[in-house]
Amino acid sequence: MAKATKKKSTGFFKFIKWFWILFGSGIALVALVFLLASWEAFGEMPTFETLENPQTNLATEFISSDGETLGKLYLDDNRTPVSFDQLPKNLVDALVATEDARYYDHAGIDARGTIRAFAYLGKKGGASTISQQLARQLFVGIRAKDWTKYTQKIKEWVIATRLERNYTKEEIIAMYLNIYDFGYAADGIRSAARIYFGKEPNELKIEESAMLIGMLKNSSLFNPLRREEMVFNRRNTVLGQMAKYGYISDKEKDSLQRLEMNLNFSPESHKEGLATYLRMYLQRSWLKKWIKENKKPNGEDYNMYLDGLKIYTTIDSRMQKNAEDAVVAHMKKLQAEFFVQNTKERNPTTPFLDLEKFEIDNIMERAIKTSSRWKALKAQGKSENEIRASFKEKVNMTVFDWNSDSYEKDTVMTPMDSIRYYKTFLRTAMMSMEPQTGHVKAWVGGTDYKHFQYDNVIQGARQAGSTFKPFVYAAAIDQLRYSPCDSLPDTQYCIEAGKHGNMESWCPKNSNGKYSGENKTLKQALANSINTVTARLIDQVGPGSVARIAKSMGITRDILEVPAIALGVPEMNVFEMVGAYGTFANQGVYVKPVVVTRIEDKYGTVLYEYVPETKDVLSKDVSYAMVNLMEGVTEYGSGARLRHTFGREQTKYKEIITGYPYEFKNPIAGKTGTTQNNSDGWFMGMVPNLVTGVWVGGEERATHFNSGAYGEGAAMALPIWALYMKANYTNEEIGVSKDAFEKPSDLSINVDCTKIIKEMKDDLDTEDDLDDLDF
């Protein structure tokens, strides 16, 4: 009996012994596997430094002065990270409930999940924790299909435990959501929220968060644009998980599951979004130059596509949108009128006017040889004959079209025809600046960057027309102490040959060919753009003085010192003209326009801060007198339609003068400008804290209206300014001034021309006088 008991006891202890041996061996084996993995037996492992600072490609972000993202700059990864506190609670809850319910209870590896996965061979769910998924995204890569998938899994385990030691749970969640690719360049949760729903992550609703978390399973498969029903069902599964783990109630779940997904798909690309022309200027010019001149601490160049720079701009996103909307609203109507006037029946050489066939051929030849198609085929080694032949073959293409909802249409035409087609479109440029700081608030280089990539704000330069005249008047008031109330005769005036560099005598005419023979005050002369008075002024001060004043106000282009510059022969761009006019509004102090105030790296370290560039140019008295002169332009001159209503315009022009009547009541200083043959229309408009310039014209000077009725600056450019300012004034938070310009306390120049002003206002009552204005 005793022997049997001993034998039974020995067998039990033997079982216990082997159990512990096997258990210990298993533990030792797991430890060995982890040790081998850490020794890189299964492949390279990230170092401690790499774990502390995982390398991910981050998009450069352009940020407006009011804190909105204008756009991003990236190659492959459109990623802008957000911190955990910028994530909504419902997003985090959805993630944990769906991907890792015991996330806060493990240290990187979920033992229960792992055992279940082994026991059921993965048929009842995998065992990847959020930490493991992050490890795979950062360091392991796409899961292999051969035996190496097991070593990959081991590496995931090891890296996940290391991540848990180096980061908090909250940091790991933020890193995971920031790294994931949601498709359509939606790299990371911030891009995903903006692209799929048009909002920031902290604005996401529960059902929106659930959809994005559902995509984590496989964003290519669960694509909401291609497989809406599948994504809808997946979203509801996530909502079910949230209810299962108590993050929402069953009642909330049932209600949310019935909601549609309501996508607001807003793709982010370099050619779309707000301020596209400005962003391209910064990318191709400003930022490129800054990177060349500023190195990283280790001597390497910053990468504008990968280093996650934050570019803080002066642009106000609200004003920028107002500017872009104003451009589209007016240019769409103006272009429609241009098409009416340039049918083949009315203009056989459309879109060109006043050109011979050989001149048109020269324009087309130049366009062909500067086209991207010519350059691409040349690079491929094609002969000139082959290239020219390709321009005559019809191909499928997408072209700009004002009448389509997306402003583009699919069509079939030859590349040669497409060149001519695009030359029928009028172009525009607009820039708005705060004169006291030089901060550019809005920048519109054209109507549609995708199809018209030439930036007319800063790349283009066109004759300034009458918008150059204020430089002449400023020189006269500054040097000769003229007053706006002083007068000169409106009679034919000639500057003889040999004077001021003239080869021949110069006898400019008024635009209407008429001369009143009366004395006209400077205020009258500028308001009505009387050329004879301007000619007398430049003769008195000399072209050199005018050129020097213009250059001291920021004009960098060459100005030929001849009398003809008085009427706007010099070519200017909108960027410099706005800066120059800002001098008048800023009491004679020129402030160079600026678009970037600060640059930070991805860690928030400030790499660049703007230092204003200023110059005293005119006295307060002279600059105020100039503002007073230009107020006359909008009160009873060529810009008077900003305030007054004219019977003729109510009927004949209402269709193209967008938004008319404007009926502004606040003080406005401005100047219209129209060049010869109506090739260029300008309007420069100022209130005390905002100066805005607008230009409209064809790509070729031969593309223009055939009369001033439609081709004057007051019809082509002024309406854009008016629509823009009306939109600004509807939002008081923007803070655009309606006050009077500041008057110097000890003004020494007489600006009180009360009697003359009454006469000028009376003149507005006659329709014939309106026709005489040089717009």
Side-chain angles (χ1 to χ4, degrees), residues 282-295:
L282 293 177
Q283 173 190 346
R284 294 175 176 174
S285 180
W286 195 95
L287 196 53
K288 187 176 181 180
K289 181 175 182 289
W290 181 85
I291 286 173
K292 186 176 180 180
E293 296 172 352
N294 297 270
K295 306 289 183 181

Side-chain angles (χ1 to χ4, degrees), residues 387-416:
I387 296 174
R388 289 188 181 280
S390 75
F391 276 84
K392 299 176 182 178
E393 297 173 0
K394 289 189 174 183
V395 294
N396 294 319
M397 63 177 69
T398 301
V399 298
F400 182 78
D401 178 33
W402 275 120
N403 296 319
S404 300
D405 291 339
S406 60
Y407 297 131
E408 60 182 15
K409 66 178 180 181
D410 295 328
T411 188
V412 178
M413 66 172 71
T414 69
M416 177 73 81

